[in-house]
Amino acid sequence: MRTADPRAATGDELSLAADEELDRRHIAEVARQGRALRWQIGLTIGVVCALAWGAVPMPLLLACAALALAVREWRVVALARLADDERAFVAQRARRMVLINLALGLTNGLAAGFMFWLDDTHDALLTMVLVAWAVGLLTTSGPMPRAYLSYTSSMFALLLVPWLAKGTPLGFGVAALIVLFALAQYRFMQYNAALFERSFRTRVRNEALVCELIAARDVAEGASRDKTRFLAAASHDLRQPLHALMLLSGLLAREPKAEDAPRHAAEIAALTQSLGKLIDALLDISKLDAGVVEVDLRAIRLHRLLAQLVRTYESQATAKALRLRLECGADLVVRSDPILLERLLGNLLDNAVKYSERGEVTLRAREAGWGGYVEVTVADQGCGIPELAQRQVFDEFFRLEGRGAQHVQGLGLGLAIVRRLAALLELPLRLESEVGRGTTVRLRLPLHSAVDEAAATVPAMVVALAGVRVLVIDDEAVVRRATRRALERWGCDARDAEGTVQALALVDRHGFVPDLVLADAQLARGDDGLAAIRRLRERCPGVLGLLISGDTHAARLREAEREGLVLLHKPLSLERLQTAIGAALSTRAAGDVSETTGANSWSPPR
């Protein structure tokens, strides 16, 4: 309930929640004061009876006294119920308090009728008692202006009647004084209510600030714990493949023609893929948090997508003597983003295989009984998840420790990515697990009634790169040489530069006009790959740009998106580089360069 006094305004927007809490506290305070002032009100009734004793007819006097005492007790009980009644809205309870005070004012004001039997002296004394009674109520109902006004207006109105009825200058004078006093009292009540309200709102703001500080502290402490968990996980899972890589590459460098050199090379390739997956998990989290992952909804023939996933993880399951089973109708068609959905289900399947040591892992899809949806489940017979840990498994860097998890490699980001992707695709996700019996994850996909065969799958993009002019900008000579060598093997006309100055010189002095620029985001001596692409586009309008970065920060992702650039992240395999170049060239060939913005910013499942 707000006051009418403009001095109560603070310039802040008063929220509904704060208004309700203010009225709730008012009601509670009035109820408390009503109980505490019982004997004072009884004493006042006694003083009124003493003033009227002998002059007012006894039955009338006793009836009025009994009514006043009864209304007093009724008000105490009614206010207590209002304070405790959480079922009713606060505004409703405030309106009831106005009616309760109106009844009290009318009852107490009936005592003014005794003045028709009293002399002027006793009339003045009785008026003083009733006015003092109104002043006393200011301490209890003052913070609620409407409630206080309902009491004083009813009582003062009854008090004015006998004085005006006298028809004398004294009667009119006292009536005028009563009106002036009532107005002054009302203004004082407004000021008092405004002061109370400002004090209350200041306290609410302070409490909100304290809550924000506590929340910020909790976030900071949570981030610190996440960092500690990440460093603990990375300490082993990132160092282990690097350690093996150093050993194997050392052997290969010393004996490049040894009999086991091809096996060492294959092991190095497998280790780099494993290391890339760990880094990609961090990259995926950054992209999802940055909000730069775009959803491309289309019809998907579900059996094809799931069959491809099963083929991807079949060797991993076979190595652990697990059976990987697919149950999906050939005619099921859903609507979703095929790349993001494959990433989501791939993470679930990878997790199920990792944490299973026996039995089978089932990937199942079937139309839900309620219609309109397909329920996809990934079920395993692994170690299961304790009930207390089920709320944490979708958190970043959380790894389940215990049976079946001793040798699991990863940073604990797989299910965190699943949770974000499910939210992005608006797919309901549910986890069921029992220790020792396995885990089942369910999600619902919307059915698609009709399917265009061309749109139901994502065809592999094959683009001829022969003759394509590519400019590589990187401050690391070994990276430039390796990238240029790969491009030349694909038939590209490739040149390289260590920075913006050399790149511009190739264009201005040597007449090399690139079709596409591959630029590292962070170059030496304060140079910047993004700025280099901008400068080259000034000289070569329409040149395509691919930005390569090892920085997964959200700001870098947004910056690339604003510039309309595809952002690729290190480490980058030859396959991913070739696919990205082909996608960029195909998009330009289709005449829609704008679609390159963010189109490949999400790395497809590998």
Side-chain angles (χ1 to χ4, degrees):
M1 183 180 299
R2 302 184 184 183
T3 64
D5 191 343
R7 289 174 292 178
T10 61
D12 298 331
E13 183 178 358
L14 306 178
S15 69
L16 179 60
D19 289 339
E20 290 184 349
E21 181 61 22
L22 180 61
D23 281 347
R24 185 181 292 111
R25 296 194 183 189
H26 283 162
I27 293 169
E29 180 63 20
V30 172
R32 188 187 68 81
Q33 292 283 357
R35 290 191 298 269
L37 297 177
R38 266 172 149 166
W39 69 270
Q40 291 95 330
I41 295 174
L43 180 60
T44 304
I45 294 173
V47 170
V48 171
C49 290
L51 287 172
W53 195 269
V56 178
M58 190 60 62
L60 178 61
L61 182 60
L62 294 177
C64 288
L67 179 62
L69 289 171
V71 171
R72 180 200 68 176
E73 291 302 314
W74 168 76
R75 180 175 181 268
V76 169
V77 174
L79 290 177
R81 288 179 177 174
L82 279 182
D84 297 335
D85 185 11
E86 294 294 337
R87 293 174 300 176
F89 291 111
V90 175
Q92 292 177 338
R93 287 187 275 166
R95 286 194 293 270
R96 291 176 193 170
M97 178 168 285
V98 171
L99 296 176
I100 291 171
N101 273 12
L102 178 63
L104 181 67
L106 291 173
T107 303
N108 293 346
L110 289 176
F114 298 162
M115 295 169 60
F116 290 104
W117 286 275
L118 302 175
D119 55 33
D120 288 345
T121 301
H122 285 82
D123 287 348
L125 291 173
L126 182 58
T127 299
M128 290 175 60
V129 170
L130 295 178
V131 168
W133 210 341
V135 173
L137 197 70
L138 182 65
T139 61
T140 60
S141 299
M144 299 188 71
R146 285 193 300 166
Y148 179 75
L149 187 61
S150 67
Y151 172 82
T152 54
S153 60
S154 59
M155 194 195 71
F156 282 143
L158 293 175
L159 184 59
L160 286 173
V161 172
W163 284 107
L164 293 173
K166 291 179 181 294
T168 63
L170 176 63
F172 291 131
V174 172
L177 288 174
I178 291 173
V179 172
L180 290 174
F181 176 82
L183 292 174
Q185 192 71 3
Y186 179 70
R187 294 297 296 171
F188 178 72
M189 177 272 302
Q190 280 189 314
Y191 177 79
N192 209 29
L195 188 64
F196 182 91
E197 185 171 330
R198 285 199 298 270
S199 174
F200 168 78
R201 295 191 184 282
T202 299
R203 186 171 69 176
V204 168
R205 282 194 294 271
N206 290 339
E207 290 174 352
L209 288 174
V210 169
C211 291
E212 289 177 5
L213 288 174
I214 292 174
R217 182 203 63 189
D218 292 343
V219 169
E221 290 178 351
S224 179
R225 288 193 298 269
D226 288 343
K227 182 182 71 173
T228 302
R229 289 207 308 269
F230 165 70
L231 292 175
S235 176
H236 178 273
D237 292 330
L238 292 177
R239 287 177 180 272
Q240 189 73 0
L242 283 173
H243 173 66
L245 279 172
M246 292 177 70
L247 293 176
L248 290 171
S249 60
L251 289 173
L252 197 60
R254 292 183 180 184
E255 300 181 35
K257 297 183 179 180
E259 292 182 2
D260 55 358
R263 181 166 57 85
H264 291 336
E267 290 172 344
I268 288 174
L271 285 169
T272 55
Q273 287 183 354
S274 174
L275 191 60
K277 286 183 179 179
L278 296 177
I279 296 174
D280 285 340
L282 289 172
L283 173 61
D284 290 345
I285 285 286
S286 296
K287 288 179 177 178
L288 289 167
D289 287 343
V292 298
V293 179
E294 296 182 359
V295 177
D296 180 19
L297 296 178
R298 61 177 68 186
I300 305 171
R301 194 169 292 283
L302 196 55
H303 187 275
R304 294 180 184 176
L305 187 147
L306 299 187
Q308 176 60 42
L309 277 174
V310 169
R311 286 192 294 271
T312 301
Y313 290 95
E314 197 165 24
S315 59
Q316 185 179 336
T318 302
K320 300 181 70 175
L322 294 172
R323 182 187 175 196
L324 195 54
R325 188 156 57 95
L326 172 63
E327 296 179 8
C328 178
D331 58 345
L332 281 181
V333 179
V334 297
R335 181 171 177 79
S336 189
D337 185 303
I339 293 177
L340 302 185
L341 180 62
E342 188 173 355
R343 184 66 165 176
L344 188 159
L345 293 174
N347 278 10
L348 289 176
L349 204 55
D350 181 67
N351 212 61
V353 173
K354 278 181 180 179
Y355 286 91
S356 297
E357 299 295 335
R358 58 179 176 81
E360 66 181 23
V361 175
T362 304
L363 181 58
R364 179 184 295 112
R366 58 187 176 189
E367 190 170 349
W370 52 84
Y373 289 94
V374 171
E375 184 179 69
V376 179
T377 60
V378 178
D380 64 63
Q381 297 174 346
C383 59
I385 304 171
E387 186 175 355
L388 292 177
Q390 290 180 20
R391 297 180 180 179
Q392 298 175 273
V393 293
F394 290 101
D395 293 341
E396 296 84 354
F397 309 114
F398 179 82
R399 296 177 65 189
L400 185 64
E401 303 297 337
R403 192 177 72 170
Q406 294 92 331
H407 304 293
V408 171
Q409 189 180 63
L411 299 175
L413 292 174
L415 291 183
I417 293 171
V418 166
R419 175 171 58 85
R420 283 169 165 80
L421 286 174
L424 184 65
L425 295 172
E426 299 181 354
L427 302 179
L429 186 71
R430 189 170 82 248
L431 180 142
E432 302 164 1
S433 186
E434 186 176 347
V435 175
R437 303 195 65 176
T439 301
T440 300
V441 180
R442 306 177 186 275
L443 69 149
R444 291 190 308 172
L445 293 164
L447 270 171
H448 198 276
S449 56
V451 59
D452 177 2
E453 286 294 330
T457 58
V458 181
M461 187 174 297
V462 179
V463 177
L465 301 184
V468 175
R469 296 183 299 276
V470 182
L471 176 57
V472 180
I473 305 175
D474 200 298
D475 57 337
E476 293 287 344
V478 63
V479 175
R480 293 200 305 272
R481 286 196 301 270
T483 306
R484 182 172 176 175
R485 191 175 305 165
L487 291 167
E488 288 172 345
R489 286 187 179 180
W490 298 333
C492 297
D493 179 6
R495 309 288 175 88
D496 63 84
E498 67 173 355
T500 303
V501 174
Q502 282 192 8
L504 294 175
L506 282 172
V507 175
D508 296 337
R509 299 177 188 174
H510 302 283
F512 181 76
V513 180
D515 300 305
L516 182 140
V517 177
L518 288 175
D520 189 11
Q522 294 174 307
L523 302 172
R525 296 180 292 277
D527 202 354
D528 183 273
L530 190 61
I533 293 176
R534 288 198 197 106
R535 297 282 301 277
L536 286 167
R537 282 179 168 176
E538 292 174 1
R539 287 166 169 75
C540 312
V543 66
L544 297 174
L546 296 180
L547 199 63
I548 303 175
S549 175
D551 183 3
T552 62
H553 195 275
R556 175 69 68 182
L557 297 169
R558 296 192 186 98
E559 185 179 29
E561 184 183 32
R562 283 195 300 269
E563 292 292 330
L565 293 175
V566 176
L567 180 62
L568 305 172
H569 281 86
K570 302 175 183 178
L572 191 63
S573 68
L574 290 176
E575 291 78 10
R576 288 175 63 191
L577 178 60
Q578 188 175 23
T579 300
I581 293 174
L585 294 172
S586 295
T587 302
R588 185 173 69 173
D592 190 2
V593 177
S594 64
E595 287 186 6
T596 61
T597 305
N600 294 301
S601 62
W602 179 267
S603 304
R606 288 163 292 283

